[in-house]
Amino acid sequence: MKISFLIHNAYGIGGTITTTFNLAQALAERHDVEIVSVLRHRERPNFTPDPRVALRALVDLRHEKEHPLHERPAKVFPSAEYRYQQYSELTDQRIGEHLEAIEADVVIGTRPGINVHLALQAPRRVVRIGQEHLTLENHPPRLRTALRRAYPRLDALTTVTKADAADYRRRMLLPGVRVEALPNSVPDPALAAADGTAKVVVAAGRLVPVKRYDLLIEAFAPVAAAYPDWRLRIYGKGEEHDRLRRLIEDLGLWDNVFLMGAASPMEAEWVKGSIGAAASNFEPFGMTIVEAMRCGLPVVSTDCPYGPREIIEDGVDGRLVPVHDRDALSAALLELVRDDALRRRMGRAAVENGRRFAPGPVVAQAERLFDEVISARESGRPVVPERGGLRRVLAGRSFAARDAAYAAAGSVLRTVRTVRKGQR
């Protein structure tokens, strides 16, 4: 089977890039796989591709940033999409030409705007699968409205959690489109799992407000007070760095909490710890949670939408605490810090339970999805049978009307702001 991924920029950094390369590498064991990057801005990708996976770009910004067509706004890529300003008539043209000539059996989009291109421009002879790496709820109403128009032309849509798949089925009118949860995978660790003896809590990710590292640092203060030999190491970079540094100083935690900067790969850092931690307000999946578990760390996490509760089994391989609840987060950390046997038992369970996110099970699910969609197409059967009847249709129309109303109100507000700005 020939499988082609279409991604925003394979030469950058981010969770979607990592998971795409991971899945492509695993699929390359038995299939002909390529990654096509819409944009390219540097010589080599940050993530080293498997030599069996072909990598190429459609628009090379090193040479084409000032191309006349790249200075005109995109017409196919939806304007409500987060990355819209990076797209143009040039990307529209190159993506369209690529899809028209594609020889793959399956083409996979990796973000909403690219999925729209697949839906509208990929030929019917190719199985068209859109991936959702965020969540439906995370998208603005105007984008959800645009997706409702395009997505019915897809064959399948995958989300990273079951909760988000349920949202798509309930809130979007996608007759004939198979919606299925396909979790991200984490490669098998190359190092021995942590043994739970190190007095270190590890957290990793972008230093941005939604990750709530400020809450984690505040929650760690009672831990440091009761067990001053324990440390919290936070890996990552981002806009919150200076504020978090000041918070550490204000709380007098300079001997216990450390901003470690970015580390890649993280595996060598996870195994130096005994507990993983995540304090996000929102987490579409929770890649770092899986990474920590696969390295033998029980994870204390906020029970935020959508991912953590589908990864962590509370009390077995980690702990789930309410979002924003500093005291509950602190108590859960203290529970694992003070109880060596519990911490080690949960660490062993984390390794065992984390195996369901290994490449093998995830790839097997992806292959089954591809095969079933191809088989249905070849036999003339629906890719997915209709379910829910009139009630489902009415619910979908209700959400569609609500989003359209919000989108219209937003458009009016933007017009008013533009007029006022011009009058200044």
Side-chain angles (χ1 to χ4, degrees), residues 293-294 296 317 346-357:
M293 290 174 61
R294 299 220 68 199
D317 49 27
M346 282 193 176
R348 291 191 294 270
V351 171
E352 184 63 31
N353 294 344
R355 288 196 176 101
R356 68 191 190 275
F357 300 105

Side-chain angles (χ1 to χ4, degrees), residues 8 24 74 89 105 129 136-137 141 146 207 307 358:
H8 167 65
E89 279 195 26
D105 300 296
I129 297 179
L136 179 64
E137 179 65 28
L207 305 185

Side-chain angles (χ1 to χ4, degrees), residues 139-150:
H139 299 319
R142 196 157 60 97
L143 178 57
R144 291 198 293 262
T145 298
L147 300 185
R148 281 190 181 90
R149 298 191 189 106

Side-chain angles (χ1 to χ4, degrees), residues 5 12 53 63 75 80 90 96 107 123 126 144 159 164 190 201 208 238 282 294 296 309 323 342 354 379:
F5 289 87
V53 177
H63 315 298
K75 296 179 180 178
L90 182 62
V107 59
V126 179
R144 291 198 293 262
T159 63
D164 195 39
V201 178
V208 292
F282 168 79
R294 299 220 68 199
R309 72 189 65 168
V323 179
L342 175 66
S379 65

